[in-house]
Amino acid sequence: MEKFVFSVITLLLILSSTAILPVVFSSDFDSEISVLVEKAGELYSKGLNITVVLGKLNRAIALYEEGDVEDANMLLSEVNSLIGDMRALADRVYLVNMVIKVVTILVLAVIPLAVYFLLPRIYLYVWYKTRRKWILSR
Amino acid sequence: MIASTLGIALTLRPGNPEPFTAIGLLNEDCKIGEYPKVVFNGSNIKLCVYVANYLGYPAYFKVVYKLAVTETLPSNTTYSPEQPLREWRIILGHSEEKTFPVNVSVYTLRGEMRIALVFELWVYDTSVNTWTYTGRWTHLYVNITV
């Protein structure tokens, strides 16, 4: 008997929980979001800061969950155009980052050579410089 | 010489050598421990879910809530066959993590008095345009009382 009561309660709860499922996301919405996330990922891989883009996408999801589909779609359009604007800068940022990386590597590679060749010379120069007013006497 | 080699190696190292995702369950104060052990049948409980993305790129995640028994728990490769009861979607950038409060309903499952609250982490795979189970999940066993 107890099991039967539990089963009935469970069935009712399952039905009620299905009814209170907040919003069923359409696969189109998921697909649209994922495309924008992928585009944002491309920008990220080129070194751009995409915090604003992700923030807006999360806001769009929240709006969709609240049932405000129209505003959510508007926000997605806004993100799309923002990504377009950022894409125009992406190649330049990538180039600058690459140049910085190459210069860093070159500087790091030159350090041992510089130390090998320059350190003795600098040491001698300083040694002579600090002793140039010395007077030799027997 | 050593410092230079180390510096070059660090500059040239891959951005994210070991990509992974993570999900965790926290109590209603969003802290570890003091989880509810006994729950009234049909009541709601408050918990916090922690999600982290270290995939090396931003990703679109969803956390799926299910009630399960020992036999229907998910594994590292397969998700629980139980019906999803709630979902939360979130986008996280690389090395970003988020903790958010959830309010979930708990009730007996097929007459079982000891059930598991299961939270599975799914990620949207754009190459196949569908949700893919990450193999990450967390669960909390509770005893149901009337």
Side-chain angles (χ1 to χ4, degrees):
Chain A
M1 181 64 186
E2 200 174 85
K3 277 218 164 188
F4 175 73
V5 173
F6 272 127
S7 303
V8 171
I9 291 172
T10 307
L11 185 66
L12 287 172
L13 283 167
I14 288 171
L15 290 173
S16 64
S17 69
T18 313
I20 58 162
L21 254 177
V23 172
V24 178
F25 278 78
S26 77
S27 56
D28 286 347
F29 185 78
D30 281 336
S31 174
E32 203 173 338
I33 289 273
S34 73
V35 167
L36 291 172
V37 172
E38 197 175 21
K39 284 180 183 173
E42 286 167 17
L43 297 177
Y44 175 77
S45 68
K46 289 189 173 177
L48 272 81
N49 185 345
I50 53 165
T51 312
V52 176
V53 174
L54 299 187
K56 281 180 188 283
L57 286 173
N58 274 321
R59 180 77 194 120
I61 292 171
L63 286 170
Y64 196 93
E65 271 178 336
E66 289 161 14
D68 197 348
V69 180
E70 200 177 316
D71 278 356
N73 284 329
M74 258 171 56
L75 204 50
L76 290 188
S77 306
E78 197 183 311
V79 169
N80 207 3
S81 78
L82 181 61
I83 286 174
D85 293 345
M86 289 173 83
R87 260 187 173 168
L89 291 171
D91 287 337
R92 196 190 301 171
V93 172
Y94 181 69
L95 188 68
V96 169
N97 285 339
M98 284 307 291
V99 168
I100 290 171
K101 203 171 198 174
V102 169
V103 169
T104 307
I105 289 167
L106 286 176
V107 168
L108 288 168
V110 162
I111 285 173
L113 292 173
V115 169
Y116 182 77
F117 288 110
L118 295 179
L119 195 66
R121 284 162 177 78
I122 292 169
Y123 177 75
L124 281 177
Y125 175 76
V126 173
W127 194 90
Y128 283 123
K129 194 104 175 161
T130 53
R131 289 161 177 79
R132 67 181 172 176
K133 286 178 185 167
W134 284 19
I135 297 164
L136 292 176
S137 62
R138 279 179 191 250
Chain B
M1 180 71 93
I2 293 167
S4 169
T5 311
L6 195 67
I8 291 170
L10 286 172
T11 311
L12 289 175
R13 78 185 194 283
N16 191 33
E18 200 175 334
F20 67 94
T21 55
I23 183 169
L25 192 61
L26 306 165
N27 67 18
E28 66 175 314
D29 299 321
C30 292
K31 290 180 178 166
I32 293 173
E34 294 171 20
Y35 298 101
K37 287 179 182 141
V38 180
V39 181
F40 282 110
N41 192 24
S43 63
N44 278 23
I45 60 169
K46 290 177 183 170
L47 294 165
C48 272
V49 174
Y50 162 87
V51 181
N53 172 23
Y54 288 90
L55 290 172
Y57 52 86
Y60 185 25
F61 295 100
K62 74 172 174 180
V63 175
V64 179
Y65 169 63
K66 297 171 178 177
L67 289 175
V69 290
T70 308
E71 294 74 29
T72 57
L73 279 179
S75 71
N76 288 340
T77 50
T78 55
Y79 51 88
S80 169
E82 300 287 355
Q83 179 201 359
L85 300 174
R86 281 211 59 181
E87 292 179 358
W88 299 269
R89 280 161 166 74
I90 188 169
I91 296 163
L92 291 176
H94 170 60
S95 80
E96 199 180 346
E97 43 198 57
K98 188 155 190 178
T99 305
F100 54 93
V102 295
N103 192 2
V104 292
S105 58
V106 183
Y107 48 84
T108 179
L109 203 62
R110 298 184 286 277
E112 289 280 344
M113 301 304 283
R114 188 166 181 266
I115 57 154
L117 283 58
V118 174
F119 296 85
E120 294 170 346
L121 185 63
W122 292 62
V123 66
Y124 198 91
D125 187 345
T126 42
S127 60
V128 283
N129 258 343
T130 188
W131 288 101
T132 309
Y133 177 53
T134 59
R136 306 280 177 190
W137 93 98
T138 181
H139 70 279
L140 172 71
Y141 270 109
V142 291
N143 289 312
I144 305 286
T145 184
V146 185

